[in-house]
């Protein structure tokens, strides 16, 4: 948990802008917060004012969901979200108060100002965005494919065609594998184990070719069975090691030291803007690219402990020619605890930015690698 | 030739004929435009539910399901599972968005499909439209001033669906402050609402069975701002004269981590807590009234502290249906939460469902179907 805590403390202050509000934090005033992010109205956020006036941030959660939040019989809260809320409160210089509510009523309780934020393993819900503001997501609890570390054939679910896939009976993994097999026309024999805990041994014994489970379970199993690996993605491939990979993509947390030769990409090609990737020790090799997806409401983020630039590189916006961003903004591309090679950043450039017609500066300051973007494209107006 | 002359309009008669011809074409076009599009999804011939246990039921979740075919497919799957009963939620605010102006399209679709599948519908009615509550209140907030408005809607509903829906539930879990508009739960006020709705419903359709709301099983201490003990709440309802205002009792029977045969205990929330509600009915002279389990069951999320493993959920669910049939003569239906969500909730709520949003049946569905149809179990090792 300490590593997480270190990362949380790098979080930018929420008063500065909307998007870097880390964690699954729900603010109450979407409009003003969002506008401030783009240099718009300098409005007053009543929640933010109240928190500082009273010196306490009230955090709502359904404390029944480890490892994110639980409460013991003595009323003590603990878990990832509790650490996150505590770190935010420390940074803001206020106390934190946890309020335990049933999940069904958590949004209504926020609207009735029973608390200021929800931090409760809360998924983004586009149907609620009229009423609340979401931070970027901080954890992807999706499903992953595990395979033995000694073999390399299994890199994706398609590699299990004609083979055996272990899942826990009735679990989300069970439904997922059946659906993927159906939709992609794969012949996968699903081995449904009554107890999830028996799957790692069965995988290592060769009884199944792969196991699908959620990423939290994978974290646990990788620590207990070092001969397992996550197939088809670098997100966990560097678990606890020093490694060099071509591409690092996905969401989640990479422990150990990792050097990336070609490309770092929070999320992946199918992920909308707003993906979050965390790394304990990350090095960009010379000429590496950072794929950064931006939209008016969210953008990707890399959250690093020790960050190193070995040379110049590029920030790849992935935008088609003519799809230039109008306007000006300042955005946090990455955060770090320690930075090595900051002198190379002045040589970093934007690519695939939609064309010419902008000035961009990439620089490091106060624990953040930021992009200052200014459109220089004019607009023609005429009267009819 | 003369016809040609007429149509060419060179004579008075020709001009008249031309006008008539144009009118005829125009009317034909208007007629085509006004013709209602043919239903792509037909209700089909009436079906019957085959089952060995006629009290099996599920709470469907079709409120926000848009597509006709998905509504129909959901209800087909309910029937095919051997479940003759469904509970469905009909939000007042959806169907009377302006006072006195009803929009019955969606409930017509749901109810007609359900009836076509041979299902018995229990309709839960709540959700306050904006016009019937003060600004800045939640959709669960109903003041006494608007009890008559709610009752009018219930009356309109039971009148419209006479012969198709014969059970209505008045409100939901009023012993939770969340369900009472984040006000302190008020058994006397709820009783007044129940009696108001009862009178209107009976006037509109004397055959309708009015059910008192299922209470949330809760051990909230006295004075809690979040809820009131369900047993305390129900006794206060009786003390306020509720007995004269309902024909049956809706009960919520969640098992949490306990098996269905775990004995009832006022200090514990388990499936058998329904028996305590029943005892309380009997003590208050309501032994002749039936009860309906309108929510309940087990969750198999791997992280939620109040869940069980998917395998245990199979065992507990089948046993619960069997126990209710064997031991609860007063229970006319056991409708467990929740058959299918229109889209993934991405929370532990997904782990209550029987079928995924993509209509992939979970083992809980398959095994319930096997039980209901008297077929061999596929996953369970023995009959629970």
């Amino acid at each position: 948990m300490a590593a997480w805590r270190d990362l949380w403390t790098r979080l930018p202050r929420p008063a500065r802008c909307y998007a870097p509000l880390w964690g699954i934090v729900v603010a109450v005033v979407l409009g003003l917060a969002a506008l401030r992010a783009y240099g718009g109205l300098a409005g007053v956020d009543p929640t933010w004012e109240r928190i500082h006036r009273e010196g306490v941030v009230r955090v709502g959660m359904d404390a029944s969901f480890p490892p994110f939040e639980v409460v013991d019989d003595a009323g003590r809260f603990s878990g990832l979200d509790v650490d996150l809320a505590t770190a935010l409160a420390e940074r803001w210089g206020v106390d934190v108060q946890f309020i335990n509510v049933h999940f069904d009523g958590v949004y209504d309780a926020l609207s009735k100002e029973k608390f200021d934020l929800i931090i409760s393993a809360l998924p983004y819900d586009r149907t609620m965005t009229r009423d609340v503001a979401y931070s970027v997501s901080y954890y992807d609890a999706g499903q992953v494919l595990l395979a033995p570390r000694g073999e390399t054939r299994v890199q994706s679910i398609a590699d299990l065609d004609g083979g055996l896939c272990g899942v826990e009976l009735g679990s989300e993994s069970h439904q997922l594998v059946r659906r993927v097999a159906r939709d992609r026309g794969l012949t996968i024999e699903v081995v449904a184990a009554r107890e999830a805990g028996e799957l790692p041994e069965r995988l290592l014994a060769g009884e199944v070719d792969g196991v699908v489970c959620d990423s939290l379970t994978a974290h646990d199993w990788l620590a207990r069975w070092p001969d397992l690996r996550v197939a088809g993605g670098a997100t966990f491939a560097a678990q606890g090691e020093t490694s060099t990979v071509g591409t690092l993509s996905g969401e989640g947390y990479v422990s150990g030291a990792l050097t990336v030769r070609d490309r770092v990409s929070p999320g992946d090609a199918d992920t909308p803007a707003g993906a979050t990737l965390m790394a304990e020790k990350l090095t960009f090799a010379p000429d590496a690219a950072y794929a950064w997806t931006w939209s008016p409401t969210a953008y990707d983020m890399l959250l690093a402990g020790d960050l190193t630039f070995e040379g110049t590189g590029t920030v790849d916006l992935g935008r088609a020619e003519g799809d230039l961003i109008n306007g000006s903004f300042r955005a946090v591309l990455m955060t770090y605890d320690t930075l090595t090679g900051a002198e190379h950043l002045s040589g970093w450039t934007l690519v695939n930015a939609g064309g010419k017609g902008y000035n961009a500066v990439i620089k490091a300051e106060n624990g953040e690698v930021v992009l200052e973007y200014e459109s220089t494209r004019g607009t023609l107006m005429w009267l009819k | 030739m003369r016809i040609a002359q007429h149509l060419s309009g060179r004579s008075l008669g020709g001009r008249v004929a031309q006008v008539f011809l144009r009118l005829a074409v125009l009317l034909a076009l208007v007629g085509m435009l006004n013709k209602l599009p043919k239903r792509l999804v037909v209700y089909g011939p009436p079906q019957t539910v085959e089952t060995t246990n006629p009290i099996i039921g599920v709470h469907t979740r079709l409120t926000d399901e848009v597509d006709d075919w998905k509504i129909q497919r959901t209800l087909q799957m309910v029937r095919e599972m051997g479940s003759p009963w469904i509970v469905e939620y009909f939000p007042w605010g959806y169907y009377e968005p302006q006072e006195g102006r009803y929009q019955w399209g969606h409930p017509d679709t749901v109810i007609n499909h359900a009836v076509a599948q041979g299902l018995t519908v229990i309709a839960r009615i709540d959700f306050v439209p904006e016009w019937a509550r003060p600004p800045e209140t939640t959709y669960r907030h109903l003041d006494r001033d608007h009890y008559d408005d709610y009752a009018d809607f219930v009356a309109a509903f039971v009148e419209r669906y006479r012969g198709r829906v014969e059970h209505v539930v008045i409100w939901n879990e009023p012993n939770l402050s969340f369900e009472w508009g984040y006000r302190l739960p008020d058994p006397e006020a709820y009783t007044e609402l129940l009696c108001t709705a009862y009178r209107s419903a009976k006037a509109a359709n004397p055959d309708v069975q009015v059910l008192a709301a299922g209470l949330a099983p809760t051990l909230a201490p006295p004075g809690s701002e979040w809820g009131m003990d369900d047993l305390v709440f129900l006794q206060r309802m009786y003390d306020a004269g509720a007995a004269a205002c309902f024909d049956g009792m809706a009960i919520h029977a969640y098992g949490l981590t306990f098996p269905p045969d775990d004995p009832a205990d006022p200090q514990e929330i388990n499936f058998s807590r329904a028996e305590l509600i029943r005892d309380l009915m009997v003590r208050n002279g309501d032994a002749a009234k039936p009860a309906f389990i309108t929510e309940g069951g087990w969750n198999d999320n791997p992280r939620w502290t109040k869940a069980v493993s998917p395998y245990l959920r199979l065992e507990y669910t089948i046993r619960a249906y069997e126990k209710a049939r064997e031991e609860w003569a007063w229970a006319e239906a056991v409708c467990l939460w929740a058959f299918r969500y229109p889209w993934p909730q991405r929370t532990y709520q997904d782990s209550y469902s029987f079928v995924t949003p993509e209509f992939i049946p979970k083992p809980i569905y398959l095994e319930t179907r096997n039980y209901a149809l008297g077929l061999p179990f596929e996953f369970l090792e023995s009959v629970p």
Side-chain angles (χ1 to χ4, degrees):
Chain A
M1 205 60 88
W4 289 100
R5 179 183 287 271
D6 290 341
L7 292 171
W8 303 136
T9 58
R10 302 304 314 149
L11 307 181
R13 291 177 188 279
R16 197 149 57 223
C17 65
Y18 153 68
L21 253 180
W22 284 87
I24 302 176
V25 182
V26 180
V28 205
V29 277
L30 170 68
L32 293 176
L35 283 170
R36 273 202 302 279
Y38 307 107
L41 299 175
V44 174
D45 181 334
T47 304
W48 184 245
E49 283 208 327
R50 196 210 59 74
I51 289 170
H52 280 276
R53 186 175 62 249
E54 299 183 12
V56 61
V57 56
R58 302 167 304 162
V59 178
M61 56 175 53
D62 182 346
S64 60
F65 205 67
F68 294 95
E69 50 268 316
V70 287
V71 60
D72 64 17
D73 292 339
R76 289 185 294 260
F77 289 79
S78 61
L80 186 65
D81 289 338
V82 175
D83 285 356
L84 169 58
T86 304
L88 287 171
E90 284 175 4
R91 185 171 182 137
W92 299 341
V94 297
D95 294 331
V96 61
Q97 177 188 353
F98 296 104
I99 298 167
N100 193 14
V101 295
H102 193 273
F103 198 84
D104 287 348
V106 73
Y107 281 112
D108 276 2
L110 181 69
S111 74
K112 295 300 292 179
E113 300 181 1
K114 299 288 184 183
F115 34 74
D116 306 306
L117 309 169
I118 302 169
I119 308 180
S120 191
L122 193 71
Y124 173 76
D125 182 348
R126 62 185 168 80
T127 66
M128 295 298 296
T129 51
R130 191 185 73 168
D131 303 314
V132 300
Y134 291 89
S135 72
V136 295
S137 297
Y138 63 73
Y139 194 86
D140 180 354
Q143 305 290 310
V144 296
L145 173 63
L146 297 179
R149 187 171 285 278
E151 68 87 49
T152 57
R153 185 184 66 82
V154 175
Q155 293 297 330
S156 77
I157 195 76
D159 296 326
L160 296 184
D161 196 18
L164 299 152
C165 182
V167 295
E168 184 188 8
L169 169 69
S171 63
E172 187 179 342
S173 318
H174 194 172
Q175 324 314 328
L176 178 70
V177 174
R178 292 169 68 205
R179 181 169 64 81
V180 170
R182 181 194 70 179
D183 294 349
R184 298 189 189 179
L186 304 174
T187 304
I188 298 175
E189 185 175 338
V190 179
V191 178
R194 180 172 160 174
E195 301 294 338
E198 65 190 68
L199 288 168
E201 295 293 353
R202 294 180 71 172
L203 177 59
L204 292 172
E207 294 179 27
V208 292
D209 302 301
V211 164
V212 174
C213 62
D214 69 82
S215 63
L216 281 164
T217 301
H219 270 298
D220 179 34
W221 288 354
L222 288 170
R224 293 159 58 193
W225 284 276
D227 289 337
L228 294 179
R229 66 180 172 88
V230 172
T235 301
F236 301 95
Q239 188 83 15
E241 296 181 354
T242 299
S243 308
T244 298
V245 297
T247 296
L248 173 65
S249 66
E251 291 189 84
Y253 177 64
V254 182
S255 64
L258 187 68
T259 297
V260 179
R261 287 192 309 269
D262 303 323
R263 192 174 184 84
V264 174
S265 174
D268 54 41
D270 299 326
T271 307
T276 304
L277 183 61
M278 296 176 240
E280 186 177 7
K281 296 178 181 178
L282 184 68
T283 299
F284 282 82
D287 300 323
Y290 176 58
W292 186 71
T293 310
W294 180 93
S295 80
T297 56
Y299 49 78
D300 290 346
M301 180 68 80
L302 171 66
L303 191 57
D306 298 338
L307 184 63
T308 300
F309 297 102
E310 292 183 335
T312 58
T314 54
V315 174
D316 186 346
L317 268 56
R319 304 178 78 86
E321 187 68 21
D323 186 19
L324 199 66
I325 300 172
N326 281 321
S328 302
F329 63 87
R330 177 185 183 280
V332 180
L333 303 176
M334 317 170 190
T335 69
Y336 55 84
D337 290 328
T338 65
L339 178 63
T340 305
E343 66 276 14
H344 297 301
L345 276 175
S346 60
W348 275 59
T349 56
L350 288 190
V351 296
N352 297 322
K356 296 177 180 176
Y358 62 84
N359 292 322
V361 175
I362 300 167
K363 61 184 181 182
E365 57 185 22
N366 301 324
E368 297 169 346
V369 177
V370 299
L371 166 65
E372 292 178 347
Y373 179 99
E374 182 182 14
S375 172
T376 59
R377 196 164 64 167
T379 303
L380 290 176
M381 296 179 64
W382 63 92
L383 295 174
K384 294 178 75 173
Chain B
M1 187 61 163
R2 294 184 69 179
I3 293 172
Q5 281 180 344
H6 278 301
L7 292 180
S8 66
R10 275 181 285 183
S11 67
L12 179 61
R15 285 197 293 274
V16 171
Q18 195 172 48
V19 168
F20 273 109
L21 184 62
R22 287 176 175 170
L23 272 174
V25 170
L26 184 64
L27 285 171
L29 283 171
V30 169
M32 287 170 66
L33 289 172
N34 274 340
K35 192 175 179 183
L36 287 173
K38 193 176 178 181
R39 286 189 76 89
L40 294 176
V41 179
V42 297
Y43 297 125
Q47 305 286 327
T48 55
V49 181
E50 292 181 30
T51 187
T52 61
N53 184 346
I55 67 171
I56 292 179
V58 283
H59 196 308
T60 47
R61 196 67 179 157
L62 296 168
T63 307
D64 296 305
E65 185 59 272
V66 176
D67 298 315
D68 260 25
W69 76 267
K70 290 181 181 173
I71 293 170
Q72 184 183 50
R73 182 73 193 120
T74 300
L75 296 167
Q76 278 176 343
M77 290 187 75
V78 172
R79 171 178 59 79
E80 290 165 357
M81 192 178 76
S83 163
W85 291 85
I86 65 165
V87 176
E88 182 52 71
Y89 175 30
F90 295 95
W92 170 28
Y94 284 25
Y95 308 137
E96 193 182 357
Q98 293 173 286
E99 188 172 7
R101 294 191 61 181
Y102 300 111
Q103 297 181 351
W104 298 115
H106 191 268
D108 279 356
T109 301
V110 170
I111 290 168
N112 289 343
H113 275 301
V115 171
Q117 294 301 321
L119 305 174
T120 302
V121 179
I122 299 174
R124 170 193 145 194
I125 301 175
D126 52 78
F127 193 112
V128 186
E130 286 190 7
W131 59 264
R133 57 184 167 89
E136 306 300 320
T137 55
T138 73
Y139 58 90
R140 330 287 315 161
H141 183 111
L142 185 63
D143 286 330
R144 278 191 167 87
D145 291 347
H146 291 284
Y147 285 2
D148 285 336
D149 293 323
Y150 173 77
D152 288 346
F153 177 78
V154 171
F157 185 94
V158 300
E159 186 173 22
R160 182 176 185 83
Y161 297 114
R162 178 198 291 258
R164 289 179 285 174
V165 177
E166 296 298 358
H167 302 80
V168 290
V169 185
I170 304 302
W171 216 257
N172 184 61
E173 298 184 337
N175 63 320
L176 294 183
S177 61
F178 154 59
E179 298 281 3
W180 201 242
Y182 271 112
R183 297 168 296 171
L184 288 177
D186 186 339
E188 292 74 26
Y190 171 70
T191 301
E192 188 178 332
L193 172 66
L194 176 64
C195 291
T196 306
Y198 181 81
R199 287 189 293 271
S200 293
K202 287 293 189 181
N205 175 4
D207 296 329
V208 74
Q209 300 293 295
V210 176
L211 309 187
L215 302 176
T218 176
L219 306 178
S224 167
E225 68 169 310
W226 303 104
M228 183 182 292
D229 186 301
D230 45 338
L231 303 175
V232 173
F233 190 96
L234 181 56
Q235 185 55 57
R236 282 182 53 179
M237 279 175 56
Y238 274 114
D239 294 344
C245 300
F246 66 95
D247 305 306
M249 177 71 72
I251 297 177
H252 292 179
Y254 286 97
L256 303 186
T257 59
F258 302 100
D261 289 309
D262 192 47
D265 179 342
Q267 297 309 312
E268 195 171 272
I269 294 174
N270 59 16
F271 185 71
S272 299
R273 190 174 178 86
E275 296 169 5
L276 301 180
I277 297 285
R278 178 65 190 172
D279 291 347
L280 211 147
M281 290 174 66
V282 173
R283 284 203 303 276
N284 284 277
D286 264 350
K289 288 181 183 172
F292 302 77
I293 308 299
T294 53
E295 284 186 26
W298 286 264
N299 183 292
D300 58 18
N301 186 278
R303 318 235 159 268
W304 194 36
T305 55
K306 296 164 187 168
V308 296
S309 74
Y311 189 86
L312 277 181
R313 184 179 171 218
L314 292 182
E315 277 194 350
Y316 290 178
T317 300
I318 303 299
R319 173 59 194 147
Y321 282 133
E322 187 66 11
K323 172 191 168 97
R325 183 179 67 161
E326 288 175 345
E327 302 174 14
W328 292 356
W330 40 268
E332 289 199 9
V334 177
C335 301
L336 300 187
W337 184 267
F339 189 69
R340 170 185 168 268
Y341 294 104
W343 55 81
Q345 308 298 296
R346 303 199 186 287
T347 69
Y348 69 81
Q349 298 285 354
D350 288 324
S351 304
Y352 271 119
S353 67
F354 283 59
V355 171
T356 71
E358 302 86 4
F359 294 102
I360 291 181
K362 295 182 176 182
I364 187 74
Y365 174 92
L366 299 171
E367 219 64 320
T368 302
R369 184 197 60 188
N370 290 336
Y371 160 72
L373 300 184
L375 301 172
F377 286 119
E378 188 175 343
F379 304 102
L380 286 172
E381 290 172 359
S382 60
V383 179

